Amino acid sequence: MDLDDPAALAVSPTVLSVPAPLMARFERARRNSTSNTELVLDALRAHLADLPRLVAEARRPAAADAGEPFPWRTSAQRGKTAKVRRVQLPIRPLAGELQVMDTLVGWVQQQIGAGPRSLGGRITRSEVVVAALDAQLPADRPRGRRPRD
């Protein structure tokens, strides 16, 4: 999209799907930001060069036992991992910003070689944003007593 194209300045409301624990971290960070969109774009800017690595790491299966011959899929015997609830994160990027985000998704797709028949399938806009936000937002502190100074 051309920088002088007035269509690039049209607001394009979009909804992303993010894990609920990440949304809790997002909401805490949102207190110091002017908008959801600003926080998302800042995370993408900050981790632009690392996006392929961050997405690839998020797609890797959890560490399995050394003797596990099929580490890519969990089984009833290995224990059930709780499915993480996902929630909606509304943003209001400009059409030009949304086009740049989609270009980033395509670039990440190309860099890590994920495709419709690969283990993880197609990369989505939400997946790229989640990877950037996860790297950007402060991690949750363990609950319990605070250490004394």
Side-chain angles (χ1 to χ4, degrees):
M1 198 168 264
D2 184 359
L3 290 176
D4 295 327
D5 183 359
L9 300 174
V11 174
S12 232
T14 303
V15 177
L16 303 168
S17 174
V18 301
L22 180 64
M23 188 63 171
R25 291 167 49 203
F26 183 89
E27 288 170 349
R28 283 192 296 278
R30 173 69 172 86
R31 296 177 197 147
N32 300 321
S33 181
T34 59
S35 71
N36 290 357
T37 307
E38 177 186 313
L39 203 53
V40 166
L41 296 179
D42 285 349
L44 289 169
R45 276 186 202 101
H47 300 284
L48 190 63
D50 295 326
L51 289 174
R53 178 184 58 79
L54 293 171
V55 170
E57 286 174 359
R59 283 182 166 223
R60 284 196 184 100
D65 295 331
E68 172 59 54
F70 304 105
W72 305 276
R73 190 181 301 257
T74 59
S75 70
Q77 286 76 21
R78 282 197 346 189
K80 294 180 181 175
T81 55
K83 194 155 187 141
V84 177
R85 186 173 65 91
R86 297 188 73 85
V87 296
Q88 294 183 339
L89 170 59
I91 60 172
R92 295 178 50 85
L94 301 177
E97 294 166 337
L98 199 56
Q99 185 174 3
V100 171
M101 289 171 68
D102 289 341
T103 300
L104 286 173
V105 170
W107 174 68
V108 169
Q109 183 86 42
Q110 182 183 29
Q111 293 299 305
I112 66 173
R117 293 185 172 208
S118 69
L119 180 62
R122 283 252 167 243
I123 292 171
T124 66
R125 187 184 298 151
S126 291
E127 186 175 9
V128 171
V129 169
V130 164
L133 287 172
D134 190 42
Q136 177 82 356
L137 299 175
D140 286 330
R141 289 190 314 244
R143 294 182 184 239
R145 295 182 62 181
R146 289 186 182 179
R148 294 186 185 196
D149 293 335

